[in-house]
Amino acid sequence: MPPPAVGLDLSVPTPTSPALPSPNTDTKPLFFPLRVLSPMDSSQPMDEEESSLLPSRSTNSNNEEDDTEERAYDAREKIVVRISNDDDEDDDAGDVPPFSWRKLWLFTGPGFLMSIAFLDPGNLEGDLQAGAIAGYSLLWLLFWATAMGLLIQMLSARLGVATGKHLAELCREEYPGWARLALWFMAEVAMIGADIQEVIGSAIAIKILSHGVLPLWAGVVITAMDCFIFLFLENYGVRKLEAVFAFLIATMAFSFAWMFGETKPSGKELLIGVLVPKLSSKTIRQAVGVVGCVIMPHNVFLHSALVQSRKIDPNKESHVREALNYYSIESTVALIISFTINLFVTTVFAKDFYGTKEANSIGLENAGQFLQEKYGGGLFPILYIWGVGLLAAGQSSTITGTYAGQFIMGGFLNLRLKKWIRALITRSFAIVPTIIVALFFDTSDSALDILNEWLNVLQSVQIPFALIPLLTLVSKEHVMGIFRIGPIIQMVTWTVTALLIIINGYLLLEFFSSEIDGPLLGSIVCIAIVVYATFIVYLILHGGELSTWLASAIRKSFS
């Protein structure tokens, strides 16, 4: 007998199928996140009924993919992972093989690409402003926001592995035409907004490192070329591309760890900030910013596609469960590293600028100069350490943005375009407005800060249109089969989603109340808010258990 799995017991009854004999009423325990399902009895092979509980997929006799459907990765691009020692075994008893460091290494990659969104220039700006204005008091919120982000990203990975399709593809199949196009438009807008921040962040880093010789618009043009770097690297395989991202993350970690060592923040205050929740009326805006910039809508779509870069058999339960276990470990490690880097940035600015007159005026462009004035040259001037870390963050996030754009466009529209064409289209969507922004805001730090506020609001608006479809799909048996999430996890994830929507709703309310002036503009905003809220309600009620429960309650009230 295999050892019992350790995890959260989410017992759900075995669903019935009208085409099969009635199953027994025993329940099968589910575990989340590291052990997705408890081991089945290895002495009992998986019968026809249990096989029917896996998500249905169309395959031909040669197990080749349907050429009429857009796929995240072609079969020849995927990394083959040997799941068991007996590949000739036809039956799948659902047993997960023992842990293997080699397999963990083969599965490592998608989680680190996903974690880039937690380290983009928008996050770094939120970190430094939270540290400068709120000191160490919001570190606990950074920790729990990262934990919420991990939960969401693990559900995204679960969806991709269990179904063999990514979120954009499944949205195309799940929703009617008008809703599908609306979701695609929202995803594209969110990605463009994030890309503008990332490209501007890279351009600022280039301006810093060139000592002002290269203006902001020149940095934007240089950053635009990363699209071709991405295409060049992709020709050498997924692992080479993942190695480049590992190098960029290591560069960020080294740069911001150096800053942390140079400034020597208080370890005691850091520990108290992480463990003891504190929130005052003066730091609510920074708190909302910390939470809002962690969940990036395009990143939810991205992770569900990245996990398909490993070739496993999604029709075999043990293959799916083992892949989910390794992806859970990898994603957790990746986000621990990203949390540590964000922690370094927040504590550096908390130590140096909290309570000072400069606190409210610090942004990405002048942050390095403020640090330079406090700490001077040294072995390697801290201004350039900041610039190197910012450049690594900007370059890595713009490349993943290009990656996400391909998956979003291909998935929603089912476009069979060559990758370089899709990458060029995706990059053009963001680069053209970014160059305009760079030319307009090149000489004004305050204007750039205002732009970043608007872009953060844009991201906040888009969050429900990625999270709600994700939670709806991972809760459906006809999509996920036995890998759908149980009622307890549904309750937790919907609570997290509601919390994020409420927090971002507060941000929107505060922002628009201060920025909108005049009855005409106010009326337009009110109409837009009504349409926006109506669409969110539609997504929540669409085909989910909540809509079924509400319909049943309404019928009972009238009967």
Side-chain angles (χ1 to χ4, degrees):
M1 289 290 290
V6 178
L8 180 61
D9 188 356
L10 308 181
S11 296
V12 295
T14 304
T16 60
S17 172
L20 297 171
S22 299
N24 58 40
T25 58
D26 293 341
T27 60
K28 292 182 171 59
L30 293 174
F31 289 85
F32 185 86
L34 294 181
R35 179 59 62 94
V36 180
L37 292 170
S38 64
M40 299 170 61
D41 187 352
S42 59
S43 64
Q44 299 294 328
M46 187 168 67
D47 57 23
E48 181 183 355
E49 179 184 340
E50 289 167 332
S51 299
S52 71
L53 298 181
L54 293 171
S56 60
R57 297 171 189 85
S58 60
T59 56
N60 58 26
S61 59
N62 297 321
N63 292 325
E64 295 175 352
E65 294 177 351
D66 185 357
D67 289 336
T68 64
E69 291 290 324
E70 172 63 20
R71 289 289 178 260
Y73 296 89
D74 294 333
R76 56 186 169 79
E77 296 176 313
K78 295 184 178 183
I79 298 168
V80 178
V81 180
R82 187 182 178 90
I83 297 294
S84 67
N85 294 323
D86 187 3
D87 289 340
D88 297 328
E89 184 179 353
D90 293 329
D91 294 329
D92 178 28
D95 297 327
V96 176
F99 176 82
S100 166
W101 287 103
R102 180 179 175 276
K103 287 182 185 177
L104 178 60
W105 170 248
L106 291 175
F107 277 107
T108 296
F112 283 89
L113 267 69
M114 168 273 295
S115 70
I116 294 295
F118 290 71
L119 297 168
D120 69 0
N123 278 276
L124 298 182
E125 181 154 25
D127 293 338
L128 67 88
Q129 289 177 349
I133 297 172
Y136 298 89
S137 64
L138 294 181
L139 292 178
W140 66 275
L141 191 59
L142 175 64
F143 172 79
W144 286 107
T146 305
M148 287 193 295
L150 175 61
L151 175 61
I152 297 299
Q153 295 301 151
M154 289 174 73
L155 291 181
S156 177
R158 185 186 184 104
L159 181 74
V161 174
T163 65
K165 297 181 180 181
H166 58 81
L167 180 57
E169 290 178 300
L170 291 169
C171 285
R172 185 182 76 233
E173 298 174 358
E174 178 70 19
Y175 294 97
W178 69 270
R180 181 174 68 247
L181 290 176
L183 287 172
W184 170 68
F185 176 77
M186 292 297 185
E188 291 286 356
V189 169
M191 190 194 64
I192 291 170
D195 214 12
I196 290 175
Q197 283 184 307
E198 293 155 0
V199 172
I200 289 292
S202 289
I204 289 173
I206 292 171
K207 184 177 180 180
I208 292 172
L209 295 174
S210 68
H211 208 62
V213 173
L214 294 174
L216 208 59
W217 66 266
V220 170
V221 173
I222 293 172
T223 305
M225 302 302 292
D226 68 16
C227 171
F228 300 100
I229 297 173
F230 158 73
L231 292 172
F232 174 76
L233 292 172
E234 216 180 15
N235 289 330
Y236 288 90
V238 174
R239 294 298 272 178
K240 302 292 191 302
L241 186 65
E242 291 170 350
V244 170
F245 281 100
F247 172 76
L248 292 172
I249 292 173
T251 301
M252 279 185 274
F254 178 78
S255 299
F256 297 131
W258 187 313
M259 283 174 45
F260 184 84
E262 288 283 320
T263 56
K264 298 179 177 65
S266 169
K268 179 181 177 181
E269 290 188 64
L270 187 156
L271 190 61
I272 292 173
V274 171
L275 298 178
V276 180
K278 293 180 184 178
L279 188 63
S280 70
S281 58
K282 296 179 180 179
T283 60
I284 288 180
R285 192 177 186 86
Q286 284 68 43
V288 171
V290 167
V291 176
C293 66
V294 166
I295 304 295
M296 304 292 284
H298 72 276
N299 205 43
V300 178
F301 289 94
L302 176 66
H303 199 198
S304 64
L306 291 174
V307 295
Q308 294 175 47
S309 60
R310 272 57 179 173
K311 188 174 183 179
I312 65 169
D313 187 350
N315 293 301
K316 289 191 175 182
E317 180 190 344
S318 63
H319 290 209
V320 175
R321 289 201 286 124
E322 183 169 38
L324 289 175
N325 288 346
Y326 285 118
Y327 281 136
S328 297
I329 297 171
E330 184 228 6
S331 298
T332 302
V333 171
L335 288 194
I336 287 174
I337 293 172
S338 72
F339 168 73
T340 304
I341 294 174
N342 284 317
L343 187 75
F344 286 158
V345 177
T346 303
T347 52
V348 164
F349 287 91
K351 195 258 183 184
D352 292 322
F353 300 103
Y354 177 56
T356 65
K357 62 181 181 180
E358 298 98 345
N360 291 309
S361 60
I362 295 179
L364 286 177
E365 188 165 5
N366 58 17
Q369 193 60 48
F370 280 128
L371 289 170
Q372 183 72 13
E373 291 172 0
K374 278 188 175 288
Y375 293 98
L379 180 63
F380 193 65
I382 200 167
L383 169 65
Y384 298 112
I385 296 172
W386 168 254
V388 168
L390 181 59
L391 181 63
Q395 287 296 316
S396 57
S397 56
T398 51
I399 296 175
T400 55
T402 303
Y403 225 0
Q406 290 191 70
F407 296 138
I408 289 171
M409 179 180 293
F412 275 109
L413 305 182
N414 195 26
L415 295 178
R416 298 288 294 177
L417 297 176
K418 292 184 178 180
K419 287 188 175 182
W420 72 269
I421 296 177
R422 276 187 295 168
L424 190 61
I425 293 172
T426 302
R427 177 51 72 232
S428 299
F429 281 163
I431 289 300
V432 173
T434 305
I435 291 177
I436 296 172
V437 165
L439 290 171
F440 186 76
F441 293 107
D442 196 15
T443 58
S444 176
D445 292 346
S446 60
L448 273 177
D449 290 337
I450 293 173
L451 173 67
N452 272 319
E453 283 190 14
W454 277 95
L455 291 175
N456 287 334
V457 168
L458 180 65
Q459 292 297 314
S460 301
V461 168
Q462 308 301 327
I463 284 176
F465 305 119
L467 293 191
I468 295 174
L470 173 66
L471 298 187
T472 300
L473 289 166
V474 296
S475 303
K476 288 192 170 187
E477 185 183 333
H478 79 271
V479 175
M480 300 291 292
I482 58 175
F483 297 102
R484 70 167 183 166
I485 58 175
I488 295 179
I489 298 300
Q490 286 188 45
M491 182 178 65
V492 171
T493 51
W494 277 108
T495 301
V496 168
T497 300
L499 181 63
L500 289 170
I501 292 174
I502 292 170
I503 288 174
N504 286 289
Y506 171 84
L507 174 63
L508 295 176
L509 183 62
E510 184 187 45
F511 182 80
F512 284 121
S513 63
S514 61
E515 296 291 333
I516 303 302
D517 188 20
L520 178 60
L521 190 57
S523 300
I524 294 173
V525 170
C526 287
I527 294 172
I529 290 174
V530 170
V531 174
Y532 173 79
T534 302
F535 190 39
I536 290 178
V537 172
Y538 166 80
L539 292 176
I540 293 173
L541 297 179
H542 175 79
E545 294 182 1
L546 180 59
S547 61
T548 305
W549 179 82
L550 286 174
S552 176
I554 292 172
R555 283 197 300 269
K556 288 180 180 179
S557 65
F558 283 100
S559 60

